[in-house]
Amino acid sequence: MKPSSFQTTIENQFDYICKRAMDDERKDYMEILSRQSKREISFSDMGDYLVNQFSVVDSYSTDFQMFTCNGFTVGVESYLLSEALRNLPNKKREIILLYYFMDMNDTEIAELLKLNRSTLYRHRTSGLAFIKKFMEEQEE
């Protein structure tokens, strides 16, 4: 049985509407991809600082040189700095570790170690000078 001209017209209209819908979807998809590509940056184009924000570095206790002072355990990652700290007298080492690694202020450290603040300041500055000298010698 041959389809009537009305049925053929309806099929042609349906075919046209389907093709039009597919073409519109394709255009929308291409537009979305275009907008997305304008906002995206490849990892190779990013700076190291930004790429490092997406990464995580595991740290283990074996990566640190451990120091104990007044019940606190402090880990120092730099081998050279840890060697300089090991060569310091105990009092100066404790003061530097508490001040720089435990974020304690002079008043708190002075109360903890039962020292005068001026003595504490003198120990810290002379300890830092020793560390600086030790590290410069080791680099040469």
Side-chain angles (χ1 to χ4, degrees):
M1 188 158 137
K2 192 173 181 183
S4 68
S5 67
F6 177 74
Q7 189 176 2
T8 305
T9 303
I10 296 295
E11 286 176 2
N12 287 340
Q13 287 176 348
F14 180 74
D15 187 45
Y16 173 78
I17 290 171
C18 288
K19 287 179 181 177
R20 181 73 185 243
M22 295 285 283
D23 193 45
D24 288 345
E25 279 298 312
R26 183 190 60 80
K27 287 177 184 175
D28 289 345
Y29 180 68
M30 296 306 282
E31 189 176 313
I32 290 169
L33 287 179
S34 174
R35 271 189 267 135
Q36 202 171 23
S37 69
K38 289 177 184 174
R39 289 183 286 161
E40 291 178 346
I41 302 172
S42 70
F43 281 119
S44 60
D45 293 338
M46 288 185 186
D48 288 339
Y49 174 76
L50 195 57
V51 171
N52 289 337
Q53 289 181 339
F54 297 112
S55 66
V56 175
V57 177
D58 293 336
S59 61
Y60 303 98
S61 60
T62 56
D63 297 338
F64 297 95
Q65 306 292 321
M66 302 307 264
F67 293 94
T68 304
C69 59
N70 285 10
F72 299 108
T73 302
V74 178
V76 178
E77 190 171 359
S78 169
Y79 178 76
L80 187 59
L81 178 59
S82 65
E83 284 302 310
L85 287 168
R86 286 191 201 292
N87 289 317
L88 276 175
N90 286 340
K91 184 74 70 182
K92 290 181 182 181
R93 181 182 327 125
E94 284 182 354
I95 292 169
I96 289 175
L97 288 173
L98 291 172
Y99 188 82
Y100 289 102
F101 290 88
M102 298 301 293
D103 292 328
M104 295 176 83
N105 61 33
D106 286 343
T107 308
E108 294 170 335
I109 298 170
E111 289 175 7
L112 183 67
L113 300 178
K114 303 198 182 355
L115 291 173
N116 190 341
R117 281 183 53 205
S118 62
T119 305
L120 180 85
Y121 177 78
R122 200 174 62 246
H123 279 305
R124 188 175 71 239
T125 55
S126 65
L128 289 174
F130 174 81
I131 290 173
K132 180 180 177 183
K133 181 181 173 192
F134 180 87
M135 293 176 90
E136 285 173 350
E137 289 173 358
Q138 295 299 316
E139 287 179 355
E140 293 173 356

